[in-house]
PDB file of all heavy atoms in Angstrom:
ATOM      1  N   LYS A  36      11.728  46.150   7.141  1.00 91.00           N
ATOM      2  CA  LYS A  36      10.577  46.077   7.890  1.00 91.00           C
ATOM      3  C   LYS A  36       9.464  46.801   7.157  1.00 91.00           C
ATOM      4  O   LYS A  36       9.622  47.976   6.868  1.00 91.00           O
ATOM      5  CB  LYS A  36      10.742  46.733   9.205  1.00 91.00           C
ATOM      6  CG  LYS A  36       9.631  46.517  10.154  1.00 91.00           C
ATOM      7  CD  LYS A  36      10.107  46.980  11.634  1.00 91.00           C
ATOM      8  CE  LYS A  36       8.867  47.434  12.226  1.00 91.00           C
ATOM      9  NZ  LYS A  36       9.077  48.281  13.366  1.00 91.00           N
ATOM     10  N   CYS A  37       8.394  46.175   6.872  1.00 88.00           N
ATOM     11  CA  CYS A  37       7.239  46.760   6.239  1.00 88.00           C
ATOM     12  C   CYS A  37       6.495  47.631   7.250  1.00 88.00           C
ATOM     13  O   CYS A  37       6.462  47.324   8.390  1.00 88.00           O
ATOM     14  CB  CYS A  37       6.255  45.733   5.658  1.00 88.00           C
ATOM     15  SG  CYS A  37       6.955  44.665   4.402  1.00 88.00           S
ATOM     16  N   ARG A  38       5.927  48.643   6.740  1.00 86.00           N
ATOM     17  CA  ARG A  38       5.254  49.654   7.654  1.00 86.00           C
ATOM     18  C   ARG A  38       4.046  49.004   8.390  1.00 86.00           C
ATOM     19  O   ARG A  38       3.751  49.195   9.592  1.00 86.00           O
ATOM     20  CB  ARG A  38       4.701  50.771   6.736  1.00 86.00           C
ATOM     21  CG  ARG A  38       4.193  51.956   7.596  1.00 86.00           C
ATOM     22  CD  ARG A  38       3.518  53.143   6.803  1.00 86.00           C
ATOM     23  NE  ARG A  38       4.388  53.072   5.518  1.00 86.00           N
ATOM     24  CZ  ARG A  38       4.159  53.961   4.503  1.00 86.00           C
ATOM     25  NH1 ARG A  38       3.350  54.946   4.635  1.00 86.00           N
ATOM     26  NH2 ARG A  38       4.907  53.910   3.400  1.00 86.00           N
ATOM     27  N   GLU A  39       3.440  48.026   7.769  1.00 84.00           N
ATOM     28  CA  GLU A  39       2.310  47.348   8.283  1.00 84.00           C
ATOM     29  C   GLU A  39       2.610  46.486   9.375  1.00 84.00           C
ATOM     30  O   GLU A  39       1.842  45.901  10.210  1.00 84.00           O
ATOM     31  CB  GLU A  39       1.458  46.581   7.226  1.00 84.00           C
ATOM     32  CG  GLU A  39       0.857  47.352   6.320  1.00 84.00           C
ATOM     33  CD  GLU A  39       1.880  47.949   5.075  1.00 84.00           C
ATOM     34  OE1 GLU A  39       3.004  47.495   4.974  1.00 84.00           O
ATOM     35  OE2 GLU A  39       1.446  48.832   4.463  1.00 84.00           O
ATOM     36  N   THR A  40       3.989  46.016   9.599  1.00 86.00           N
ATOM     37  CA  THR A  40       4.538  45.212  10.610  1.00 86.00           C
ATOM     38  C   THR A  40       4.319  45.777  11.958  1.00 86.00           C
ATOM     39  O   THR A  40       3.967  45.028  12.958  1.00 86.00           O
ATOM     40  CB  THR A  40       5.951  44.862  10.392  1.00 86.00           C
ATOM     41  OG1 THR A  40       6.139  44.359   9.089  1.00 86.00           O
ATOM     42  CG2 THR A  40       6.427  43.865  11.430  1.00 86.00           C
ATOM     43  N   GLY A  41       4.312  47.050  12.125  1.00 87.00           N
ATOM     44  CA  GLY A  41       4.223  47.800  13.401  1.00 87.00           C
ATOM     45  C   GLY A  41       5.423  47.523  14.230  1.00 87.00           C
ATOM     46  O   GLY A  41       6.431  47.144  13.813  1.00 87.00           O
ATOM     47  N   LYS A  42       5.200  47.790  15.534  1.00 92.00           N
ATOM     48  CA  LYS A  42       6.303  47.720  16.618  1.00 92.00           C
ATOM     49  C   LYS A  42       6.539  46.231  16.825  1.00 92.00           C
ATOM     50  O   LYS A  42       5.591  45.545  17.209  1.00 92.00           O
ATOM     51  CB  LYS A  42       5.981  48.623  17.749  1.00 92.00           C
ATOM     52  CG  LYS A  42       7.114  48.604  18.635  1.00 92.00           C
ATOM     53  CD  LYS A  42       6.850  49.514  19.882  1.00 92.00           C
ATOM     54  CE  LYS A  42       8.016  49.406  20.913  1.00 92.00           C
ATOM     55  NZ  LYS A  42       7.553  50.011  22.090  1.00 92.00           N
ATOM     56  N   ILE A  62      10.492  41.463   6.582  1.00 95.00           N
ATOM     57  CA  ILE A  62       9.494  40.978   7.516  1.00 95.00           C
ATOM     58  C   ILE A  62       8.101  41.237   6.959  1.00 95.00           C
ATOM     59  O   ILE A  62       7.666  42.513   6.639  1.00 95.00           O
ATOM     60  CB  ILE A  62       9.599  41.797   8.904  1.00 95.00           C
ATOM     61  CG1 ILE A  62      11.182  41.476   9.373  1.00 95.00           C
ATOM     62  CG2 ILE A  62       8.529  41.108   9.820  1.00 95.00           C
ATOM     63  CD1 ILE A  62      11.328  42.411  10.542  1.00 95.00           C
TER      64      ILE A  62
END
Side-chain angles (χ1 to χ4, degrees):
K36 187 176 151 196
C37 297
R38 188 177 334 182
E39 293 78 16
T40 304
K42 184 179 179 192
I62 302 171

